[in-house]
């Protein structure tokens, strides 16, 4: 799993039948200071938490687990899914809040 920030949405009028009804988000991993790093990642909003731009989210980045979290009844590939929208992260170094 990784902590990421939602930085955009993917809108698609034409997509494979397996992905109809799936909300797609563009995320970028963040460190515990809230600084983004690495490449962008397109994820399904599997938590149905209505994650949006600016939200910190917990992303499952493994196919089988991601598909289960997205509640898919198909075998189409899903690489990553939002498992939760994060309200606060507390560590010995401090707190990361939205």
């Amino acid at each position: 799993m990784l902590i990421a920030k939602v930085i955009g949405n993917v809108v698609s009028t034409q997509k494979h039948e397996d992905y109809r009804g799936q909300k797609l988000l563009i995320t970028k991993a963040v460190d515990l200071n809230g600084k983004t790093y690495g490449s962008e990642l397109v994820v399904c909003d599997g938590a149905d938490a209505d994650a949006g731009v600016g939200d910190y989210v917990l992303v499952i980045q493994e196919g089988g687990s991601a598909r289960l979290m997205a509640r898919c009844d198909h075998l189409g590939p899903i690489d990553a899914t939002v498992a939760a929208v994060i309200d606060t992260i507390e560590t010995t170094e401090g707190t990361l809040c939205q």
Side-chain angles (χ1 to χ4, degrees), residues 51-71:
V53 174
D55 286 337
Y56 290 100
V57 292
L58 184 62
V59 174
I60 294 176
Q61 196 176 9
E62 190 277 319
S65 298
R67 188 179 303 105
L68 286 172
M69 180 58 64
R71 295 183 216 120

Side-chain angles (χ1 to χ4, degrees), residues 39 41 43 48 51 54 61 63 66-67 75 77 80-81 85 92 95:
S39 299
L41 182 65
V43 303
D48 292 333
Q61 196 176 9
R67 188 179 303 105
L75 296 177
T81 302
V85 175
T92 56
T95 302

Side-chain angles (χ1 to χ4, degrees), residues 17-56:
E17 185 67 31
D18 287 346
Y19 301 100
R20 293 200 194 281
Q22 292 287 337
K23 182 177 177 183
L24 301 174
L25 305 168
I26 303 170
T27 62
K28 196 156 186 171
V30 297
D31 62 20
L32 292 177
N33 295 315
K35 184 177 177 187
T36 60
Y37 67 89
S39 299
E40 294 80 8
L41 182 65
V42 176
V43 303
C44 291
D45 187 8
D48 292 333
D50 202 27
V53 174
D55 286 337
Y56 290 100

